[in-house]
């Protein structure tokens, strides 16, 4: 007993806290499971403190997509009866943690009947919905509980027309380089040349040809960001954590640390390694560390490498392995160079045109991942019809083949939405003087 | 947003009075509290409807107001502005809630669900210019509930509701009671 107590005390204070896990942690959260307090707070307080932890990490993303069911809907006293049936004030009501047997395809637990509790009378308004199974609302490409930005009725109806492949479709292009200082040459590299820290000639040459050198970013800016060159090798670090990159690339860092690639950095844990992933990865990449340089290539910063090769060096699931022979892989930008355009990153880390005319890369790969309808607006309908997008994303086997073939599933929601819109337009015309 | 800062401050102050149980000590009754909140809410919404939406959309024709204001790069509709404020206030747990309900809602989720809501919305629709006050128990908590008539103050209110494909009523006229603002204060 004494030995067990000592072991647990050591585990709690200095050792591996995962011995205390009541069950396997869900996908995504397993990366930060050794820091129990991130969800449970220091004192393992009540449900409200856990809810606050959910919101700290996921609140902004939900706000960005105009969460269809914000917490305020359920804290409203008029919905007390509904809350008694489904307490949606708390994320953990549907998304329970440490429940591996109940954890589904999306990496979280999700009851099948949550829509039914409040919307069981939907057939009265939508004859198309009479006798539909309650488990199908969110499982057949029609609705999501949180993000319906590509699924709401008028959006469906207004995107009903159009060819499966939009002629002349293009994706947003990179923003031109905006130097923050005059460009630098090979001779201006300021890394110390002592024996401990001397960078290789090849490495410096790569830097000199990179966008960083053209933008006036010197060795010290990344490797000795708070010290400046000239203070000696001790002030320099070979490692460049995302926080340093984030000094200039703030949006990229924020997105990276919000996604599975970078969440361990956000949790102040050692970098994620593919060996820790729950999906298939190449064995030879198991011990790579995920930081900005993993995909962008230290000193190379080649976006073409980052958009396909970097992904496929680690990922070995069927969808990834099928990419190179997929229809997407052979596409190039119309009027552009011969580089592939429909890359892994184009869909999973898409460039998104902003309202001010700028283009930003969404570095949170979760933002377009699951449920996969989240990908429709920023990715799929840039090139395809909404109908093809819905059908393809609903066809799991087609997704596994990386879209080689045609959808074998048809989502009817656009037809239903259009029929309602057309019916109302007809009745308005008939009633007009 | 700056424009509404004084109003938000007033709401928070009122909420503080409510949350601290001030009514008994200061003599502010739940009804007086609800009436004061409603004056702020109604004024705020009227200013937005007349001086922002109606002026920019209908008079100067600079920008439209749209239900899908983000997608259409347009102004939020006055009712949406009101609801967004209600949601933001609710997130701060101010000690009261408010909302916009109707016997003829565009979104069915905004139809009455409690007996008090049904009775109150019917009352303010049939008794023009009158408010409705009641107490009700929801989820084991007793509330003072006030319902104020929500009147069509511009052509935009009327045409939007009459033309909307999800509207169950299409014969609204200017000045009609279209619904009610519901303010709840826990007792």
């Amino acid at each position: 007993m004494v030995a067990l107590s000592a072991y647990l005390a050591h585990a709690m204070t200095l050792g591996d806290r995962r011995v205390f896990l009541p069950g396997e942690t869900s996908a995504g959260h397993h990366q930060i499971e050794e820091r129990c307090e991130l969800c449970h707070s220091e004192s393992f307080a009540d449900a409200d403190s856990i809810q606050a932890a959910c919101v700290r990490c996921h609140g902004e993303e939900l706000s960005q997509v105009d969460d269809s069911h914000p917490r305020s809907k359920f804290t409203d006293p008029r919905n007390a009866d509904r809350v008694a049936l489904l307490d949606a004030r708390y994320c953990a009501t549907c998304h329970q943690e440490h429940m591996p047997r109940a954890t589904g395809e999306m990496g979280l637990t999700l009851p099948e009947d949550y829509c039914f509790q409040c919307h069981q009378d939907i057939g009265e308004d939508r004859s198309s919905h009479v006798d539909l199974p309650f488990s199908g609302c969110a499982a057949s490409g029609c609705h999501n509980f949180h993000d319906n930005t590509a699924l709401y009725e008028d959006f469906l109806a207004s995107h009903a027309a159009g060819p499966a492949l939009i002629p002349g479709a293009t994706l947003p292009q990179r923003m031109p380089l905006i130097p923050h200082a005059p460009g630098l040459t090979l001779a201006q590299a300021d890394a110390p040349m002592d024996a401990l820290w001397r960078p290789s000639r090849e490495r410096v040459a790569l830097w000199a040809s990179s966008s960083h050198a053209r933008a006036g970013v010197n060795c010290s800016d990344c490797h000795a960001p708070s010290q400046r060159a000239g203070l000696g090798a001790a002030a320099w670090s070979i490692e460049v954590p995302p926080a340093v990159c984030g000094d200039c690339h703030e949006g990229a860092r924020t997105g990276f640390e919000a996604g599975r690639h970078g969440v361990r950095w956000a949790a102040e844990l050692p970098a994620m390694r593919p060996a820790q992933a729950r999906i298939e990865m190449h064995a030879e990449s198991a011990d790579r560390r995920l930081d900005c340089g993993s995909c962008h290539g230290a000193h190379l910063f080649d976006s073409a490498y980052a958009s396909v090769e970097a992904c496929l060096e680690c990922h070995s699931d069927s969808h990834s392995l099928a990419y190179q022979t997929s229809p997407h892989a052979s596409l190039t930008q119309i009027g552009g160079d011969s580089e592939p355009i429909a890359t892994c990153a184009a869909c999973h880390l898409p460039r998104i045109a902003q309202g001010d005319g700028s283009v930003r890369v969404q570095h949170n790969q979760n933002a377009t991942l699951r449920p996969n309808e989240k990908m429709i607006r920023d990715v799929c309908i840039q090139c395809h019809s909404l109908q093809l997008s819905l059908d393809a994303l609903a066809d799991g086997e087609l997704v596994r083949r990386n879209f080689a073939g045609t959808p074998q599933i048809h989502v009817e929601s656009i037809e239903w939405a259009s029929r309602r819109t057309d019916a109302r337009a007809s009745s308005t015309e008939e009633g007009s003087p | 947003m700056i424009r509404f800062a004084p109003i938000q401050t007033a709401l928070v102050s009122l909420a503080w009075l409510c949350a601290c149980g001030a009514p008994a000590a200061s003599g502010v009754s739940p009804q007086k509290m609800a009436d004061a909140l409603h004056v702020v809410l109604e004024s705020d919404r009227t200013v937005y409807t007349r001086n922002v939406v109606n002026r920019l959309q209908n008079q100067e024709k600079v920008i439209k107001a749209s239900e899908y204001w983000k997608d259409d790069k347009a102004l939020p509709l006055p009712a949406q502005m009101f609801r967004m404020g209600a949601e933001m206030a609710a997130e701060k747990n101010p000690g009261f809630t408010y909302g916009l309900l109707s016997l003829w809602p565009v979104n069915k989720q905004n139809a009455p669900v409690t007996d008090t809501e049904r009775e109150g919305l019917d009352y303010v629709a049939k008794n023009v210019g009158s408010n409705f006050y009641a107490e009700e128990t929801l989820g084991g908590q007793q509330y003072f509930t006030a319902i104020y008539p929500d009147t069509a103050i511009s052509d935009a209110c009327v045409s939007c509701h009459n033309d909307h494909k999800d509207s169950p009523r299409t014969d609204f006229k200017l000045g009609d009671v279209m619904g009610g603002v519901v303010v709840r204060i826990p007792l």
Side-chain angles (χ1 to χ4, degrees):
Chain A
M1 181 62 76
V2 172
L4 178 61
S5 300
Y7 168 72
L8 293 176
H10 177 263
M12 177 59 83
T13 53
L14 300 170
D16 187 349
R17 291 190 193 175
R18 285 175 290 192
V19 299
F20 296 106
L21 289 175
E24 188 178 76
T25 318
S26 63
H29 283 179
H30 80 278
Q31 287 198 41
I32 55 172
E33 63 189 7
E34 60 260 57
R35 287 202 59 197
C36 315
E37 73 278 12
L38 291 177
C39 296
H40 293 284
S41 78
E42 294 290 349
S43 57
F44 274 71
D46 56 12
D48 286 311
S49 71
I50 291 182
Q51 177 63 25
C54 301
V55 173
R56 267 199 299 279
C57 289
H58 300 283
E60 178 58 27
E61 190 176 346
L62 290 173
S63 175
Q64 287 293 323
V65 299
D66 296 327
D67 186 4
S68 302
H69 292 85
R71 190 170 193 262
S72 57
K73 264 195 202 314
F74 301 94
T75 54
D76 191 330
R78 69 192 302 264
N79 286 324
D81 288 349
R82 290 168 168 174
V83 168
L85 294 169
L86 181 79
D87 194 352
R89 296 173 301 171
Y90 299 99
C91 304
T93 297
C94 288
H95 305 313
Q96 297 180 0
E97 191 48 271
H98 308 298
M99 302 278 284
R101 288 184 182 175
T103 300
E105 196 172 280
M106 289 200 295
L108 41 71
T109 66
L110 193 62
E112 287 190 329
D113 61 345
Y114 60 91
C115 305
F116 174 81
Q117 302 294 351
C118 295
H119 301 283
Q120 54 192 276
D121 60 352
I122 188 63
E124 295 172 14
D125 275 338
R126 308 279 196 281
S127 57
S128 55
H129 288 51
V130 173
D131 295 333
L132 288 179
F134 61 76
S135 58
C137 310
S140 52
C142 293
H143 301 285
N144 286 323
F145 186 80
H146 297 295
D147 181 354
N148 288 286
T149 48
L151 302 174
Y152 66 85
E153 193 173 67
D154 285 354
F155 184 83
L156 297 175
S158 65
H159 288 76
L165 181 60
I166 300 169
T170 59
L171 292 174
Q173 294 297 288
R174 294 186 80 183
M175 295 285 288
L177 180 69
I178 304 173
H180 80 273
L184 297 167
T185 64
L186 189 66
Q188 292 173 294
D190 66 357
M193 290 297 134
D194 61 48
L196 284 174
W197 218 87
R198 179 180 297 166
S200 69
R201 188 180 298 274
E202 292 78 13
R203 199 161 292 227
V204 179
L206 269 180
W207 163 80
S209 65
S210 74
S211 52
H212 271 172
R214 291 199 299 281
V217 179
N218 214 324
C219 310
S220 60
D221 288 315
C222 300
H223 292 284
S226 61
Q227 305 292 334
R228 300 299 304 173
L231 295 182
W236 288 65
S237 169
I238 291 174
E239 301 293 338
V240 179
V244 173
C245 306
D247 284 344
C248 294
H249 304 280
E250 185 182 357
R253 179 204 175 185
T254 303
F256 173 71
E257 292 189 350
R260 293 188 188 182
H261 286 159
V263 66
R264 285 178 63 88
W265 285 104
E268 299 178 339
L269 291 165
M272 168 71 173
R273 291 178 296 110
Q276 297 168 298
R278 293 248 181 100
I279 58 175
E280 297 94 328
M281 296 283 171
H282 290 297
E284 54 272 31
S285 299
D287 291 321
R288 293 183 65 175
R289 287 162 41 88
L290 267 89
D291 56 23
C292 304
S294 309
C295 299
H296 289 283
H299 304 102
L300 181 62
F301 311 116
D302 177 359
S303 63
Y305 168 80
S307 64
V308 175
E309 290 172 70
C311 314
L312 299 181
E313 283 180 7
C314 292
H315 289 269
S316 65
D317 57 280
S318 56
H319 175 82
S320 301
L321 293 176
Y323 173 74
Q324 295 290 19
T325 56
S326 75
H328 282 154
S330 62
L331 295 172
T332 55
Q333 180 84 21
I334 293 172
D337 55 29
S338 58
E339 293 292 335
I341 178 174
T343 62
C344 306
C347 297
H348 297 289
L349 302 141
R351 291 176 183 145
I352 299 173
Q354 310 293 310
D356 62 0
S358 63
V359 174
R360 305 276 170 81
V361 174
Q362 172 55 276
H363 278 80
N364 174 4
Q365 98 301 329
N366 286 2
T368 54
L369 195 62
R370 292 193 182 100
N372 62 16
E373 293 90 3
K374 287 159 66 176
M375 187 178 279
I376 290 174
R377 283 185 70 125
D378 288 330
V379 179
C380 308
I381 61 171
Q382 303 294 317
C383 299
H384 298 287
S385 67
L386 180 59
Q387 184 67 66
L388 181 75
S389 305
L390 287 170
D391 294 348
L393 291 171
D395 187 341
E397 184 52 39
L398 187 63
V399 173
R400 277 185 280 282
R401 293 200 307 271
N402 213 313
F403 307 106
T406 54
Q408 300 303 302
I409 288 176
H410 178 60
V411 178
E412 293 181 273
S413 54
I414 293 179
E415 289 146 32
W416 293 347
S418 298
R419 275 206 291 271
R420 280 196 88 238
T421 304
D422 294 345
R424 182 55 190 251
S426 300
S427 67
T428 303
E429 282 174 18
E430 287 170 9
S432 60
Chain B
M1 293 303 290
I2 292 170
R3 176 181 194 87
F4 300 111
I7 293 170
Q8 289 168 340
T9 305
L11 286 175
V12 170
S13 303
L14 286 166
W16 182 84
L17 282 172
C18 179
C20 294
S26 66
V28 178
S29 67
Q31 181 174 327
K32 195 170 182 62
M33 166 81 184
D35 286 350
L37 282 168
H38 178 250
V39 166
V40 176
L41 298 171
E42 185 183 44
S43 302
D44 185 357
R45 181 144 161 257
T46 302
V47 167
Y48 180 70
T49 303
R50 289 181 178 162
N51 295 356
V52 179
V53 175
N54 201 48
R55 178 175 66 86
L56 295 178
Q57 176 181 249
N58 302 333
Q59 295 173 0
E60 301 181 11
K61 301 187 188 306
V62 174
I63 185 172
K64 288 187 176 178
S66 166
E67 182 178 356
Y68 307 110
W69 52 276
K70 273 192 180 175
D71 284 352
D72 295 343
K73 303 193 185 312
L75 296 170
L77 301 172
Q80 290 177 304
M81 189 71 154
F82 189 86
R83 291 188 196 291
M84 285 190 281
E87 286 186 8
M88 184 176 284
E91 287 168 9
K92 295 171 182 170
N93 194 22
F96 68 94
T97 60
Y98 67 94
L100 187 58
L101 305 180
S102 175
L103 296 170
W104 314 279
V106 168
N107 181 344
K108 295 230 5 171
Q109 295 299 317
N110 298 318
V113 294
T114 73
D115 290 341
T116 299
E117 288 177 353
R118 274 185 281 273
E119 186 183 352
L121 289 172
D122 187 58
Y123 181 87
V124 298
K126 290 176 177 169
N127 299 275
V128 176
S130 299
N131 305 329
F132 178 85
Y133 303 103
E135 291 184 11
E136 61 182 336
T137 301
L138 301 169
Q141 168 70 49
Q142 196 177 12
Y143 292 90
F144 176 81
T145 300
I147 300 181
Y148 304 89
D150 191 56
T151 307
I153 59 167
S154 80
D155 288 332
C157 311
V158 172
S159 60
C160 185
H161 276 259
N162 285 348
D163 296 343
H164 199 286
K165 73 178 190 305
D166 292 324
S167 177
R169 181 176 161 182
T170 58
D171 63 348
F172 285 115
K173 301 183 299 298
L174 207 59
D176 278 354
V177 173
M178 304 180 80
V181 172
V182 180
V183 177
R184 278 197 179 87
I185 298 168
L187 297 174

